């Protein structure tokens, strides 16, 4: 086998995509995340000419890993080692098994990482502390911390110690526990439905609909179920929430908003929002917008709502990009 150690993993992935051809590559892309597709596509575009020997070496390596993963998942460690040693020799077999087990570790218990911690808690609360420790080692950090906090006091320290002392666990044991746990989980709730719907999801939807529809929904919902309406509002960011932003965040988003758009938005806003926005503007910009507002007559409510929604969209985009911070409901503590 020719050496391809000078190539990065992304370069190797790009070479495999090229070798497989457009039709096969497109079917593979369906199983990848957008970020992964972008990275591989970028690497394909900058791929330089490669010798036939180097290309063959990359394809051989990929084929070997595919074989290793297949025999491992179908027959377990002992079976995989036996098959791989016969096919590739003891040294190559050991290296392949090591790579495959490290890859599969990130996939083990994947279904629990998609679940709500309360459902996970219901599944494992009566398990042995060692089993709980093993499962929490594969859970998300926020899931594990929430579950540990709710464990009986006498069990918390035991589980924490077991997690801390955990080193290596047999892949066969992991596979066995995962199979049992997945069956148990299916009896409680289908994990594929866990992240569909819910208050967070509807809040995200409400953040993206027009202001007129938003107000109508909240007016009706407020009459039918005031508590639910308030819960949804807590997860949202609306134009009036500009007052909760820190001065730096306000000044940042103002740089993205046109004077005329802001004038229309403020035409229908309350005094608190108007005041906090003008406080964070330069005198020149403030005078420009006040002049714009003065000359605005017979502005349609729909136009005001659209302008406010555009500004909210800018704020939410800047938050997603990490340029500003939105703190709602007292959940986020910021250290300056």
């Amino acid at each position: 086998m020719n050496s391809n150690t000078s190539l990065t993993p992304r370069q190797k992935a790009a070479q495999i995509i090229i070798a497989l051809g457009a039709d096969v590559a497109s079917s593979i892309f369906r199983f990848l995340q957008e970020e992964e597709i972008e990275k591989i596509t970028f690497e394909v575009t900058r791929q330089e000419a490669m010798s036939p020997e180097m290309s063959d070496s990359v394809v051989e390596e990929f084929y070997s890993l595919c074989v290793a993963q297949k025999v491992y998942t179908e027959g377990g460690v002992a079976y995989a080692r036996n098959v791989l040693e016969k096919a590739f020799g003891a040294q190559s077999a050991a290296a392949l098994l090591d790579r495959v087990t490290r890859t599969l570790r990130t996939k083990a218990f994947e279904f629990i990482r998609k679940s709500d911690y309360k459902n996970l808690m219901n599944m494992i609360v009566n398990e042995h502390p060692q089993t709980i420790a093993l499962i929490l080692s594969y859970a998300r950090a926020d899931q594990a911390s929430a579950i540990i906090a709710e464990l009986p006091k006498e069990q918390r320290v035991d589980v924490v110690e077991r997690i801390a002392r955990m080193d290596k666990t047999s892949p066969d044991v992991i596979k066995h526990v995962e199979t049992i746990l997945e069956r148990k989980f299916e009896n409680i709730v289908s994990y594929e439905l866990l992240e569909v719907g819910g208050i967070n999801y509807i809040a995200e939807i409400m953040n993206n609909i027009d202001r007129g529809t938003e107000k109508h929904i909240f007016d009706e919902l407020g009459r039918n179920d005031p508590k639910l309406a308030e819960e949804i509002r807590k997860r949202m960011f609306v134009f009036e929430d500009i007052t909760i932003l820190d001065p730096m965040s306000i000044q940042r988003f103002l740089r993205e908003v046109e004077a005329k758009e802001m004038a229309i938005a403020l035409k229908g806003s309350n005094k608190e929002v108007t005041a906090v926005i003008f406080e964070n503007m330069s005198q020149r910009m403030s005078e420009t917008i006040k002049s714009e507002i003065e000359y605005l007559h017979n502005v349609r409510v729909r136009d005001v709502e659209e302008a406010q929604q555009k500004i909210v969209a800018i704020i939410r985009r800047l938050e997603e990009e990490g340029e500003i911070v939105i703190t709602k409901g007292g959940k986020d503590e910021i250290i300056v």
Side-chain angles (χ1 to χ4, degrees), residues 57-77:
S57 175
V58 173
V59 173
E60 278 185 48
E61 181 184 351
F62 177 67
Y63 173 74
S64 300
L65 285 170
C66 289
V67 171
Q69 181 161 327
K70 179 176 174 62
V71 295
Y72 172 84
T73 54
E74 290 183 356
V77 180

Side-chain angles (χ1 to χ4, degrees), residues 43-57:
E43 205 61 58
V44 168
T45 60
R46 62 197 294 265
Q47 192 82 284
E48 297 178 357
M50 188 177 295
S51 68
E53 292 79 11
M54 182 73 81
S55 178
D56 289 345
S57 175

Side-chain angles (χ1 to χ4, degrees), residues 7-29 32 37 39-52 54-56 58-59 62:
L7 299 178
T8 66
R10 285 187 193 173
Q11 287 174 324
K12 291 178 182 179
Q15 187 56 39
I16 292 298
I17 290 297
I18 293 169
L20 291 173
D23 291 340
V24 178
S26 62
S27 64
I28 289 174
F29 276 2
L32 301 179
I37 294 171
K39 288 176 180 177
I40 293 176
T41 303
F42 174 72
E43 205 61 58
V44 168
T45 60
R46 62 197 294 265
Q47 192 82 284
E48 297 178 357
M50 188 177 295
S51 68
M54 182 73 81
S55 178
D56 289 345
V58 173
V59 173
F62 177 67

Side-chain angles (χ1 to χ4, degrees), residues 84-94:
L84 294 175
E85 283 181 357
K86 288 179 180 178
F88 304 106
Q91 188 174 351
S92 294

Side-chain angles (χ1 to χ4, degrees), residues 160-176:
V160 168
E161 286 178 342
R162 288 172 186 271
I163 294 174
R165 290 174 180 161
M166 196 170 289
D167 184 15
K168 294 181 179 179
T169 305
S170 164
D172 291 334
V173 171
I174 293 172
K175 192 174 180 181
H176 178 67

Side-chain angles (χ1 to χ4, degrees), residues 44-168:
V44 168
T45 60
R46 62 197 294 265
Q47 192 82 284
E48 297 178 357
M50 188 177 295
S51 68
E53 292 79 11
M54 182 73 81
S55 178
D56 289 345
S57 175
V58 173
V59 173
E60 278 185 48
E61 181 184 351
F62 177 67
Y63 173 74
S64 300
L65 285 170
C66 289
V67 171
Q69 181 161 327
K70 179 176 174 62
V71 295
Y72 172 84
T73 54
E74 290 183 356
V77 180
Y79 175 74
R81 183 177 289 111
N82 184 35
V83 172
L84 294 175
E85 283 181 357
K86 288 179 180 178
F88 304 106
Q91 188 174 351
S92 294
L96 286 168
L97 263 180
D98 180 60
R99 290 179 66 179
V100 167
T101 52
R102 275 189 281 118
T103 301
L104 291 178
R105 174 179 169 79
T106 62
K107 297 179 181 178
F109 296 107
E110 184 177 6
F111 68 95
I112 70 171
R113 288 189 287 274
K114 296 179 181 179
S115 73
D116 178 80
Y117 91 90
K118 290 182 180 178
N119 288 321
L120 184 55
M121 179 76 180
N122 290 335
M123 276 195 302
I124 68 174
V125 67
N126 295 318
E127 297 290 342
H128 188 278
Q130 184 63 28
T131 304
I132 295 176
L134 174 64
I135 294 165
L136 294 187
S137 296
Y138 285 87
R140 299 193 316 267
D142 61 302
Q143 290 173 315
S145 60
I147 288 171
I148 289 171
E150 292 194 17
L151 286 173
K153 288 184 179 180
E154 62 275 9
Q155 211 174 30
R156 288 178 195 164
V157 178
D158 188 11
V159 170
V160 168
E161 286 178 342
R162 288 172 186 271
I163 294 174
R165 290 174 180 161
M166 196 170 289
D167 184 15
K168 294 181 179 179

